[in-house]
Amino acid sequence: SHDPWVQAKAISQVSKCNITMGTLHKDTAYEISKVFLATEEELFNAFISEPLLKKIWGVSSITIDARPNGQARAKLAFANENWDFTIIYKEVVPNEKLSWIVHFDRFPSKETWVTLLFKKTTNGTELIFRQENFENSQERDDNRQANEMALETLEGLVGKQ
C-alpha cells in the first residue's frame, strides 16, 4: 500500500517489537523482569507520576519533567542519611521505553543509567528494569534489593479496577 499512514503504522509496529538493550555487564549492572496486571500505559504513567513515585520510591518529595533532557528531582532520607537525587531523562517513548541517568547529591561524580522497557503480554505488561554503571557488585546488589521492593509496591498500585 502507498498510504503513508498505513506505512507509518506498520513501521511503528515493527519498531515496537525491536526495542532492545545492549549487553548486560553482570558485575556492574542488573536487570529485573516482572509482569504486571496492568496496561503498558498504566505502567509507563506510574513512572512519570509524582504521587505514585513518592509511594514507589519512598521519597518525601519529587518533581518530574519527563521529556528528553528534562529532569526529576527527589528528596530521600534513608537511615538518617541524605540520598537526594536528580534524574536526567534521555529517552521518553510513551508506553514503550523510558531511560534516564541518576545522580545522587552525596556522590557528585557518579552516575547510574536506568532503562525501562514496557512490553504487552497476554495477561498484562512485562516491565524490564535495567540499572547499570555501578562501581561494584555490593553497590549493585543493594540497589537491586531496593528496586525489587519498589516494584512490589508498584504492583499494589497499578492494574486495580
PDB file of all heavy atoms in Angstrom, residues 71-107:
ATOM      1  N   GLN A  71      14.252  16.925  33.737  1.00  0.00           N
ATOM      2  CA  GLN A  71      14.783  16.392  34.994  1.00  0.00           C
ATOM      3  C   GLN A  71      13.677  16.036  35.972  1.00  0.00           C
ATOM      4  O   GLN A  71      12.585  16.590  35.921  1.00  0.00           O
ATOM      5  CB  GLN A  71      15.701  17.421  35.660  1.00  0.00           C
ATOM      6  CG  GLN A  71      16.965  17.690  34.891  1.00  0.00           C
ATOM      7  CD  GLN A  71      17.963  18.527  35.687  1.00  0.00           C
ATOM      8  OE1 GLN A  71      17.732  18.881  36.843  1.00  0.00           O
ATOM      9  NE2 GLN A  71      19.085  18.833  35.059  1.00  0.00           N
ATOM     10  N   ALA A  72      14.021  15.116  36.855  1.00  0.00           N
ATOM     11  CA  ALA A  72      13.224  14.851  38.043  1.00  0.00           C
ATOM     12  C   ALA A  72      14.153  15.102  39.222  1.00  0.00           C
ATOM     13  O   ALA A  72      15.342  14.792  39.167  1.00  0.00           O
ATOM     14  CB  ALA A  72      12.720  13.415  38.053  1.00  0.00           C
ATOM     15  N   ARG A  73      13.608  15.677  40.269  1.00  0.00           N
ATOM     16  CA  ARG A  73      14.389  15.975  41.472  1.00  0.00           C
ATOM     17  C   ARG A  73      13.647  15.365  42.655  1.00  0.00           C
ATOM     18  O   ARG A  73      12.452  15.628  42.840  1.00  0.00           O
ATOM     19  CB  ARG A  73      14.524  17.492  41.625  1.00  0.00           C
ATOM     20  CG  ARG A  73      15.283  17.920  42.831  1.00  0.00           C
ATOM     21  CD  ARG A  73      16.778  17.715  42.674  1.00  0.00           C
ATOM     22  NE  ARG A  73      17.412  18.043  43.958  1.00  0.00           N
ATOM     23  CZ  ARG A  73      18.447  17.404  44.449  1.00  0.00           C
ATOM     24  NH1 ARG A  73      19.009  16.430  43.780  1.00  0.00           N
ATOM     25  NH2 ARG A  73      18.945  17.761  45.608  1.00  0.00           N
ATOM     26  N   ALA A  74      14.360  14.529  43.435  1.00  0.00           N
ATOM     27  CA  ALA A  74      13.704  13.840  44.548  1.00  0.00           C
ATOM     28  C   ALA A  74      14.484  14.003  45.841  1.00  0.00           C
ATOM     29  O   ALA A  74      15.712  14.077  45.832  1.00  0.00           O
ATOM     30  CB  ALA A  74      13.557  12.352  44.222  1.00  0.00           C
ATOM     31  N   LYS A  75      13.728  14.064  46.950  1.00  0.00           N
ATOM     32  CA  LYS A  75      14.323  14.111  48.285  1.00  0.00           C
ATOM     33  C   LYS A  75      14.085  12.751  48.937  1.00  0.00           C
ATOM     34  O   LYS A  75      12.951  12.278  48.998  1.00  0.00           O
ATOM     35  CB  LYS A  75      13.694  15.221  49.121  1.00  0.00           C
ATOM     36  CG  LYS A  75      13.999  16.611  48.570  1.00  0.00           C
ATOM     37  CD  LYS A  75      13.809  17.674  49.641  1.00  0.00           C
ATOM     38  CE  LYS A  75      14.355  19.007  49.219  1.00  0.00           C
ATOM     39  NZ  LYS A  75      15.800  19.007  48.969  1.00  0.00           N
ATOM     40  N   LEU A  76      15.184  12.151  49.402  1.00  0.00           N
ATOM     41  CA  LEU A  76      15.110  10.820  50.001  1.00  0.00           C
ATOM     42  C   LEU A  76      16.060  10.746  51.188  1.00  0.00           C
ATOM     43  O   LEU A  76      17.253  11.005  51.049  1.00  0.00           O
ATOM     44  CB  LEU A  76      15.497   9.757  48.958  1.00  0.00           C
ATOM     45  CG  LEU A  76      15.593   8.309  49.437  1.00  0.00           C
ATOM     46  CD1 LEU A  76      14.241   7.796  49.923  1.00  0.00           C
ATOM     47  CD2 LEU A  76      16.128   7.419  48.326  1.00  0.00           C
ATOM     48  N   ALA A  77      15.503  10.411  52.356  1.00  0.00           N
ATOM     49  CA  ALA A  77      16.326  10.160  53.545  1.00  0.00           C
ATOM     50  C   ALA A  77      16.237   8.672  53.833  1.00  0.00           C
ATOM     51  O   ALA A  77      15.148   8.090  53.823  1.00  0.00           O
ATOM     52  CB  ALA A  77      15.823  10.962  54.726  1.00  0.00           C
ATOM     53  N   PHE A  78      17.402   8.038  54.043  1.00  0.00           N
ATOM     54  CA  PHE A  78      17.438   6.611  54.336  1.00  0.00           C
ATOM     55  C   PHE A  78      18.464   6.397  55.435  1.00  0.00           C
ATOM     56  O   PHE A  78      19.605   6.852  55.308  1.00  0.00           O
ATOM     57  CB  PHE A  78      17.827   5.830  53.061  1.00  0.00           C
ATOM     58  CG  PHE A  78      17.817   4.344  53.248  1.00  0.00           C
ATOM     59  CD1 PHE A  78      16.623   3.649  53.315  1.00  0.00           C
ATOM     60  CD2 PHE A  78      19.004   3.649  53.373  1.00  0.00           C
ATOM     61  CE1 PHE A  78      16.607   2.281  53.492  1.00  0.00           C
ATOM     62  CE2 PHE A  78      19.005   2.276  53.558  1.00  0.00           C
ATOM     63  CZ  PHE A  78      17.798   1.587  53.616  1.00  0.00           C
ATOM     64  N   ALA A  79      18.053   5.749  56.519  1.00  0.00           N
ATOM     65  CA  ALA A  79      18.928   5.523  57.683  1.00  0.00           C
ATOM     66  C   ALA A  79      19.565   6.841  58.135  1.00  0.00           C
ATOM     67  O   ALA A  79      20.774   6.921  58.381  1.00  0.00           O
ATOM     68  CB  ALA A  79      20.002   4.484  57.352  1.00  0.00           C
ATOM     69  N   ASN A  80      18.752   7.881  58.240  1.00  0.00           N
ATOM     70  CA  ASN A  80      19.185   9.220  58.662  1.00  0.00           C
ATOM     71  C   ASN A  80      20.280   9.818  57.783  1.00  0.00           C
ATOM     72  O   ASN A  80      21.057  10.643  58.231  1.00  0.00           O
ATOM     73  CB  ASN A  80      19.641   9.211  60.129  1.00  0.00           C
ATOM     74  CG  ASN A  80      18.473   8.967  61.059  1.00  0.00           C
ATOM     75  OD1 ASN A  80      17.378   9.472  60.819  1.00  0.00           O
ATOM     76  ND2 ASN A  80      18.695   8.178  62.092  1.00  0.00           N
ATOM     77  N   GLU A  81      20.356   9.378  56.533  1.00  0.00           N
ATOM     78  CA  GLU A  81      21.324   9.937  55.596  1.00  0.00           C
ATOM     79  C   GLU A  81      20.592  10.547  54.406  1.00  0.00           C
ATOM     80  O   GLU A  81      19.521  10.082  54.028  1.00  0.00           O
ATOM     81  CB  GLU A  81      22.296   8.852  55.094  1.00  0.00           C
ATOM     82  CG  GLU A  81      23.201   8.316  56.176  1.00  0.00           C
ATOM     83  CD  GLU A  81      24.156   7.254  55.656  1.00  0.00           C
ATOM     84  OE1 GLU A  81      23.885   6.671  54.578  1.00  0.00           O
ATOM     85  OE2 GLU A  81      25.164   7.009  56.320  1.00  0.00           O
ATOM     86  N   ASN A  82      21.204  11.578  53.835  1.00  0.00           N
ATOM     87  CA  ASN A  82      20.632  12.257  52.678  1.00  0.00           C
ATOM     88  C   ASN A  82      20.977  11.476  51.409  1.00  0.00           C
ATOM     89  O   ASN A  82      22.148  11.308  51.075  1.00  0.00           O
ATOM     90  CB  ASN A  82      21.192  13.684  52.605  1.00  0.00           C
ATOM     91  CG  ASN A  82      20.734  14.420  51.359  1.00  0.00           C
ATOM     92  OD1 ASN A  82      20.232  13.844  50.406  1.00  0.00           O
ATOM     93  ND2 ASN A  82      20.904  15.726  51.368  1.00  0.00           N
ATOM     94  N   TRP A  83      19.939  11.017  50.710  1.00  0.00           N
ATOM     95  CA  TRP A  83      20.104  10.318  49.434  1.00  0.00           C
ATOM     96  C   TRP A  83      19.347  11.060  48.334  1.00  0.00           C
ATOM     97  O   TRP A  83      18.835  10.445  47.396  1.00  0.00           O
ATOM     98  CB  TRP A  83      19.612   8.874  49.549  1.00  0.00           C
ATOM     99  CG  TRP A  83      20.559   8.013  50.312  1.00  0.00           C
ATOM    100  CD1 TRP A  83      20.553   7.774  51.661  1.00  0.00           C
ATOM    101  CD2 TRP A  83      21.685   7.306  49.783  1.00  0.00           C
ATOM    102  NE1 TRP A  83      21.607   6.956  52.005  1.00  0.00           N
ATOM    103  CE2 TRP A  83      22.312   6.645  50.871  1.00  0.00           C
ATOM    104  CE3 TRP A  83      22.225   7.161  48.507  1.00  0.00           C
ATOM    105  CZ2 TRP A  83      23.442   5.865  50.706  1.00  0.00           C
ATOM    106  CZ3 TRP A  83      23.348   6.371  48.348  1.00  0.00           C
ATOM    107  CH2 TRP A  83      23.944   5.736  49.435  1.00  0.00           C
ATOM    108  N   ASP A  84      19.244  12.402  48.452  1.00  0.00           N
ATOM    109  CA  ASP A  84      18.557  13.184  47.423  1.00  0.00           C
ATOM    110  C   ASP A  84      19.210  12.924  46.070  1.00  0.00           C
ATOM    111  O   ASP A  84      20.426  12.723  45.990  1.00  0.00           O
ATOM    112  CB  ASP A  84      18.629  14.682  47.741  1.00  0.00           C
ATOM    113  CG  ASP A  84      17.857  15.057  49.009  1.00  0.00           C
ATOM    114  OD1 ASP A  84      17.211  14.175  49.610  1.00  0.00           O
ATOM    115  OD2 ASP A  84      17.929  16.240  49.387  1.00  0.00           O
ATOM    116  N   PHE A  85      18.391  12.926  45.020  1.00  0.00           N
ATOM    117  CA  PHE A  85      18.939  12.621  43.697  1.00  0.00           C
ATOM    118  C   PHE A  85      18.236  13.392  42.591  1.00  0.00           C
ATOM    119  O   PHE A  85      17.128  13.884  42.764  1.00  0.00           O
ATOM    120  CB  PHE A  85      18.900  11.116  43.409  1.00  0.00           C
ATOM    121  CG  PHE A  85      17.525  10.502  43.418  1.00  0.00           C
ATOM    122  CD1 PHE A  85      16.771  10.399  42.243  1.00  0.00           C
ATOM    123  CD2 PHE A  85      16.986   9.990  44.591  1.00  0.00           C
ATOM    124  CE1 PHE A  85      15.507   9.811  42.259  1.00  0.00           C
ATOM    125  CE2 PHE A  85      15.725   9.400  44.617  1.00  0.00           C
ATOM    126  CZ  PHE A  85      14.984   9.305  43.442  1.00  0.00           C
ATOM    127  N   THR A  86      18.927  13.478  41.470  1.00  0.00           N
ATOM    128  CA  THR A  86      18.410  14.095  40.256  1.00  0.00           C
ATOM    129  C   THR A  86      18.440  13.054  39.147  1.00  0.00           C
ATOM    130  O   THR A  86      19.400  12.290  39.032  1.00  0.00           O
ATOM    131  CB  THR A  86      19.277  15.305  39.843  1.00  0.00           C
ATOM    132  OG1 THR A  86      19.254  16.257  40.910  1.00  0.00           O
ATOM    133  CG2 THR A  86      18.753  15.957  38.571  1.00  0.00           C
ATOM    134  N   ILE A  87      17.376  13.038  38.365  1.00  0.00           N
ATOM    135  CA  ILE A  87      17.283  12.180  37.178  1.00  0.00           C
ATOM    136  C   ILE A  87      17.312  13.097  35.964  1.00  0.00           C
ATOM    137  O   ILE A  87      16.632  14.130  35.961  1.00  0.00           O
ATOM    138  CB  ILE A  87      15.956  11.388  37.197  1.00  0.00           C
ATOM    139  CG1 ILE A  87      16.025  10.244  38.213  1.00  0.00           C
ATOM    140  CG2 ILE A  87      15.598  10.875  35.811  1.00  0.00           C
ATOM    141  CD1 ILE A  87      14.703   9.548  38.429  1.00  0.00           C
ATOM    142  N   ILE A  88      18.078  12.722  34.960  1.00  0.00           N
ATOM    143  CA  ILE A  88      18.038  13.419  33.672  1.00  0.00           C
ATOM    144  C   ILE A  88      17.510  12.419  32.648  1.00  0.00           C
ATOM    145  O   ILE A  88      18.125  11.369  32.409  1.00  0.00           O
ATOM    146  CB  ILE A  88      19.434  13.929  33.251  1.00  0.00           C
ATOM    147  CG1 ILE A  88      19.973  14.892  34.317  1.00  0.00           C
ATOM    148  CG2 ILE A  88      19.368  14.604  31.877  1.00  0.00           C
ATOM    149  CD1 ILE A  88      21.444  15.197  34.171  1.00  0.00           C
ATOM    150  N   TYR A  89      16.343  12.731  32.083  1.00  0.00           N
ATOM    151  CA  TYR A  89      15.719  11.819  31.123  1.00  0.00           C
ATOM    152  C   TYR A  89      16.470  11.841  29.799  1.00  0.00           C
ATOM    153  O   TYR A  89      16.815  12.906  29.287  1.00  0.00           O
ATOM    154  CB  TYR A  89      14.249  12.210  30.887  1.00  0.00           C
ATOM    155  CG  TYR A  89      13.389  11.954  32.094  1.00  0.00           C
ATOM    156  CD1 TYR A  89      13.145  12.954  33.022  1.00  0.00           C
ATOM    157  CD2 TYR A  89      12.838  10.699  32.319  1.00  0.00           C
ATOM    158  CE1 TYR A  89      12.368  12.723  34.145  1.00  0.00           C
ATOM    159  CE2 TYR A  89      12.062  10.453  33.435  1.00  0.00           C
ATOM    160  CZ  TYR A  89      11.832  11.462  34.344  1.00  0.00           C
ATOM    161  OH  TYR A  89      11.067  11.227  35.461  1.00  0.00           O
ATOM    162  N   LYS A  90      16.735  10.651  29.246  1.00  0.00           N
ATOM    163  CA  LYS A  90      17.406  10.524  27.955  1.00  0.00           C
ATOM    164  C   LYS A  90      16.405  10.157  26.863  1.00  0.00           C
ATOM    165  O   LYS A  90      16.396  10.750  25.798  1.00  0.00           O
ATOM    166  CB  LYS A  90      18.520   9.464  28.008  1.00  0.00           C
ATOM    167  CG  LYS A  90      19.597   9.762  29.036  1.00  0.00           C
ATOM    168  CD  LYS A  90      20.043  11.201  29.095  1.00  0.00           C
ATOM    169  CE  LYS A  90      21.162  11.589  28.197  1.00  0.00           C
ATOM    170  NZ  LYS A  90      21.424  13.054  28.256  1.00  0.00           N
ATOM    171  N   GLU A  91      15.584   9.142  27.119  1.00  0.00           N
ATOM    172  CA  GLU A  91      14.584   8.709  26.135  1.00  0.00           C
ATOM    173  C   GLU A  91      13.230   8.618  26.819  1.00  0.00           C
ATOM    174  O   GLU A  91      13.120   8.074  27.910  1.00  0.00           O
ATOM    175  CB  GLU A  91      14.931   7.331  25.570  1.00  0.00           C
ATOM    176  CG  GLU A  91      16.157   7.292  24.685  1.00  0.00           C
ATOM    177  CD  GLU A  91      16.420   5.872  24.220  1.00  0.00           C
ATOM    178  OE1 GLU A  91      17.136   5.158  24.936  1.00  0.00           O
ATOM    179  OE2 GLU A  91      15.893   5.492  23.159  1.00  0.00           O
ATOM    180  N   VAL A  92      12.213   9.147  26.142  1.00  0.00           N
ATOM    181  CA  VAL A  92      10.839   9.063  26.628  1.00  0.00           C
ATOM    182  C   VAL A  92       9.982   8.665  25.425  1.00  0.00           C
ATOM    183  O   VAL A  92       9.668   9.493  24.576  1.00  0.00           O
ATOM    184  CB  VAL A  92      10.365  10.406  27.230  1.00  0.00           C
ATOM    185  CG1 VAL A  92       8.926  10.289  27.722  1.00  0.00           C
ATOM    186  CG2 VAL A  92      11.286  10.863  28.358  1.00  0.00           C
ATOM    187  N   VAL A  93       9.652   7.373  25.335  1.00  0.00           N
ATOM    188  CA  VAL A  93       8.818   6.845  24.255  1.00  0.00           C
ATOM    189  C   VAL A  93       7.543   6.343  24.922  1.00  0.00           C
ATOM    190  O   VAL A  93       7.553   5.269  25.534  1.00  0.00           O
ATOM    191  CB  VAL A  93       9.520   5.699  23.490  1.00  0.00           C
ATOM    192  CG1 VAL A  93       8.650   5.231  22.319  1.00  0.00           C
ATOM    193  CG2 VAL A  93      10.903   6.128  23.005  1.00  0.00           C
ATOM    194  N   PRO A  94       6.450   7.130  24.880  1.00  0.00           N
ATOM    195  CA  PRO A  94       5.250   6.775  25.646  1.00  0.00           C
ATOM    196  C   PRO A  94       4.827   5.315  25.498  1.00  0.00           C
ATOM    197  O   PRO A  94       4.748   4.794  24.385  1.00  0.00           O
ATOM    198  CB  PRO A  94       4.186   7.727  25.095  1.00  0.00           C
ATOM    199  CG  PRO A  94       4.988   8.940  24.698  1.00  0.00           C
ATOM    200  CD  PRO A  94       6.274   8.376  24.135  1.00  0.00           C
ATOM    201  N   ASN A  95       4.619   4.681  26.647  1.00  0.00           N
ATOM    202  CA  ASN A  95       4.121   3.312  26.774  1.00  0.00           C
ATOM    203  C   ASN A  95       5.084   2.250  26.258  1.00  0.00           C
ATOM    204  O   ASN A  95       4.728   1.074  26.200  1.00  0.00           O
ATOM    205  CB  ASN A  95       2.750   3.155  26.093  1.00  0.00           C
ATOM    206  CG  ASN A  95       1.797   4.258  26.500  1.00  0.00           C
ATOM    207  OD1 ASN A  95       1.857   4.759  27.627  1.00  0.00           O
ATOM    208  ND2 ASN A  95       0.942   4.662  25.598  1.00  0.00           N
ATOM    209  N   GLU A  96       6.316   2.642  25.885  1.00  0.00           N
ATOM    210  CA  GLU A  96       7.289   1.685  25.370  1.00  0.00           C
ATOM    211  C   GLU A  96       8.619   1.717  26.107  1.00  0.00           C
ATOM    212  O   GLU A  96       9.153   0.668  26.458  1.00  0.00           O
ATOM    213  CB  GLU A  96       7.576   1.950  23.884  1.00  0.00           C
ATOM    214  CG  GLU A  96       6.415   1.630  22.971  1.00  0.00           C
ATOM    215  CD  GLU A  96       6.753   1.876  21.508  1.00  0.00           C
ATOM    216  OE1 GLU A  96       7.906   1.622  21.111  1.00  0.00           O
ATOM    217  OE2 GLU A  96       5.866   2.322  20.773  1.00  0.00           O
ATOM    218  N   LYS A  97       9.178   2.920  26.333  1.00  0.00           N
ATOM    219  CA  LYS A  97      10.533   2.989  26.878  1.00  0.00           C
ATOM    220  C   LYS A  97      10.761   4.298  27.632  1.00  0.00           C
ATOM    221  O   LYS A  97      10.324   5.355  27.200  1.00  0.00           O
ATOM    222  CB  LYS A  97      11.552   2.888  25.740  1.00  0.00           C
ATOM    223  CG  LYS A  97      13.001   2.875  26.193  1.00  0.00           C
ATOM    224  CD  LYS A  97      13.939   2.678  25.000  1.00  0.00           C
ATOM    225  CE  LYS A  97      15.370   2.497  25.444  1.00  0.00           C
ATOM    226  NZ  LYS A  97      16.273   2.284  24.293  1.00  0.00           N
ATOM    227  N   LEU A  98      11.475   4.181  28.751  1.00  0.00           N
ATOM    228  CA  LEU A  98      11.985   5.332  29.499  1.00  0.00           C
ATOM    229  C   LEU A  98      13.439   5.042  29.813  1.00  0.00           C
ATOM    230  O   LEU A  98      13.777   3.920  30.203  1.00  0.00           O
ATOM    231  CB  LEU A  98      11.256   5.495  30.838  1.00  0.00           C
ATOM    232  CG  LEU A  98       9.943   6.246  30.892  1.00  0.00           C
ATOM    233  CD1 LEU A  98       9.324   6.100  32.285  1.00  0.00           C
ATOM    234  CD2 LEU A  98      10.137   7.707  30.553  1.00  0.00           C
ATOM    235  N   SER A  99      14.297   6.029  29.631  1.00  0.00           N
ATOM    236  CA  SER A  99      15.675   5.867  30.117  1.00  0.00           C
ATOM    237  C   SER A  99      16.123   7.184  30.725  1.00  0.00           C
ATOM    238  O   SER A  99      15.682   8.256  30.309  1.00  0.00           O
ATOM    239  CB  SER A  99      16.613   5.397  29.009  1.00  0.00           C
ATOM    240  OG  SER A  99      16.802   6.397  28.044  1.00  0.00           O
ATOM    241  N   TRP A 100      16.975   7.056  31.745  1.00  0.00           N
ATOM    242  CA  TRP A 100      17.457   8.245  32.442  1.00  0.00           C
ATOM    243  C   TRP A 100      18.801   7.964  33.092  1.00  0.00           C
ATOM    244  O   TRP A 100      19.218   6.828  33.226  1.00  0.00           O
ATOM    245  CB  TRP A 100      16.441   8.738  33.454  1.00  0.00           C
ATOM    246  CG  TRP A 100      16.098   7.817  34.590  1.00  0.00           C
ATOM    247  CD1 TRP A 100      16.889   7.501  35.664  1.00  0.00           C
ATOM    248  CD2 TRP A 100      14.863   7.108  34.795  1.00  0.00           C
ATOM    249  NE1 TRP A 100      16.217   6.660  36.533  1.00  0.00           N
ATOM    250  CE2 TRP A 100      14.976   6.398  36.016  1.00  0.00           C
ATOM    251  CE3 TRP A 100      13.676   7.026  34.080  1.00  0.00           C
ATOM    252  CZ2 TRP A 100      13.948   5.607  36.526  1.00  0.00           C
ATOM    253  CZ3 TRP A 100      12.661   6.231  34.584  1.00  0.00           C
ATOM    254  CH2 TRP A 100      12.800   5.536  35.791  1.00  0.00           C
ATOM    255  N   ILE A 101      19.444   9.049  33.504  1.00  0.00           N
ATOM    256  CA  ILE A 101      20.694   8.994  34.264  1.00  0.00           C
ATOM    257  C   ILE A 101      20.375   9.485  35.671  1.00  0.00           C
ATOM    258  O   ILE A 101      19.668  10.483  35.832  1.00  0.00           O
ATOM    259  CB  ILE A 101      21.766   9.884  33.605  1.00  0.00           C
ATOM    260  CG1 ILE A 101      22.111   9.356  32.211  1.00  0.00           C
ATOM    261  CG2 ILE A 101      23.027   9.940  34.476  1.00  0.00           C
ATOM    262  CD1 ILE A 101      23.005  10.286  31.412  1.00  0.00           C
ATOM    263  N   VAL A 102      20.899   8.791  36.686  1.00  0.00           N
ATOM    264  CA  VAL A 102      20.677   9.164  38.088  1.00  0.00           C
ATOM    265  C   VAL A 102      21.974   9.723  38.674  1.00  0.00           C
ATOM    266  O   VAL A 102      23.034   9.122  38.523  1.00  0.00           O
ATOM    267  CB  VAL A 102      20.268   7.935  38.937  1.00  0.00           C
ATOM    268  CG1 VAL A 102      19.989   8.359  40.378  1.00  0.00           C
ATOM    269  CG2 VAL A 102      19.078   7.217  38.350  1.00  0.00           C
ATOM    270  N   HIS A 103      21.849  10.879  39.349  1.00  0.00           N
ATOM    271  CA  HIS A 103      22.963  11.479  40.098  1.00  0.00           C
ATOM    272  C   HIS A 103      22.500  11.677  41.536  1.00  0.00           C
ATOM    273  O   HIS A 103      21.523  12.376  41.770  1.00  0.00           O
ATOM    274  CB  HIS A 103      23.330  12.856  39.529  1.00  0.00           C
ATOM    275  CG  HIS A 103      23.917  12.818  38.164  1.00  0.00           C
ATOM    276  ND1 HIS A 103      25.255  12.651  37.930  1.00  0.00           N
ATOM    277  CD2 HIS A 103      23.342  12.938  36.947  1.00  0.00           C
ATOM    278  CE1 HIS A 103      25.488  12.661  36.632  1.00  0.00           C
ATOM    279  NE2 HIS A 103      24.338  12.825  36.012  1.00  0.00           N
ATOM    280  N   PHE A 104      23.199  11.051  42.485  1.00  0.00           N
ATOM    281  CA  PHE A 104      22.927  11.284  43.907  1.00  0.00           C
ATOM    282  C   PHE A 104      23.793  12.444  44.380  1.00  0.00           C
ATOM    283  O   PHE A 104      24.981  12.517  44.054  1.00  0.00           O
ATOM    284  CB  PHE A 104      23.218  10.030  44.738  1.00  0.00           C
ATOM    285  CG  PHE A 104      22.167   8.968  44.601  1.00  0.00           C
ATOM    286  CD1 PHE A 104      22.311   7.941  43.675  1.00  0.00           C
ATOM    287  CD2 PHE A 104      21.020   9.007  45.385  1.00  0.00           C
ATOM    288  CE1 PHE A 104      21.335   6.974  43.534  1.00  0.00           C
ATOM    289  CE2 PHE A 104      20.032   8.041  45.255  1.00  0.00           C
ATOM    290  CZ  PHE A 104      20.195   7.018  44.322  1.00  0.00           C
ATOM    291  N   ASP A 105      23.206  13.353  45.158  1.00  0.00           N
ATOM    292  CA  ASP A 105      23.933  14.525  45.657  1.00  0.00           C
ATOM    293  C   ASP A 105      25.211  14.132  46.402  1.00  0.00           C
ATOM    294  O   ASP A 105      26.226  14.802  46.288  1.00  0.00           O
ATOM    295  CB  ASP A 105      23.054  15.348  46.606  1.00  0.00           C
ATOM    296  CG  ASP A 105      21.880  16.005  45.896  1.00  0.00           C
ATOM    297  OD1 ASP A 105      21.677  15.745  44.689  1.00  0.00           O
ATOM    298  OD2 ASP A 105      21.156  16.775  46.563  1.00  0.00           O
ATOM    299  N   ARG A 106      25.136  13.042  47.157  1.00  0.00           N
ATOM    300  CA  ARG A 106      26.272  12.665  48.001  1.00  0.00           C
ATOM    301  C   ARG A 106      27.443  12.091  47.208  1.00  0.00           C
ATOM    302  O   ARG A 106      28.532  11.934  47.755  1.00  0.00           O
ATOM    303  CB  ARG A 106      25.824  11.713  49.104  1.00  0.00           C
ATOM    304  CG  ARG A 106      25.219  10.425  48.594  1.00  0.00           C
ATOM    305  CD  ARG A 106      24.584   9.592  49.702  1.00  0.00           C
ATOM    306  NE  ARG A 106      25.591   9.082  50.608  1.00  0.00           N
ATOM    307  CZ  ARG A 106      25.390   8.875  51.903  1.00  0.00           C
ATOM    308  NH1 ARG A 106      24.235   9.139  52.447  1.00  0.00           N
ATOM    309  NH2 ARG A 106      26.345   8.397  52.648  1.00  0.00           N
ATOM    310  N   PHE A 107      27.224  11.746  45.938  1.00  0.00           N
ATOM    311  CA  PHE A 107      28.295  11.232  45.066  1.00  0.00           C
ATOM    312  C   PHE A 107      28.270  12.011  43.751  1.00  0.00           C
ATOM    313  O   PHE A 107      27.843  11.491  42.718  1.00  0.00           O
ATOM    314  CB  PHE A 107      28.098   9.746  44.772  1.00  0.00           C
ATOM    315  CG  PHE A 107      28.023   8.885  46.002  1.00  0.00           C
ATOM    316  CD1 PHE A 107      26.833   8.244  46.341  1.00  0.00           C
ATOM    317  CD2 PHE A 107      29.133   8.711  46.824  1.00  0.00           C
ATOM    318  CE1 PHE A 107      26.763   7.446  47.470  1.00  0.00           C
ATOM    319  CE2 PHE A 107      29.060   7.915  47.956  1.00  0.00           C
ATOM    320  CZ  PHE A 107      27.874   7.285  48.281  1.00  0.00           C
TER     321      PHE A 107
END
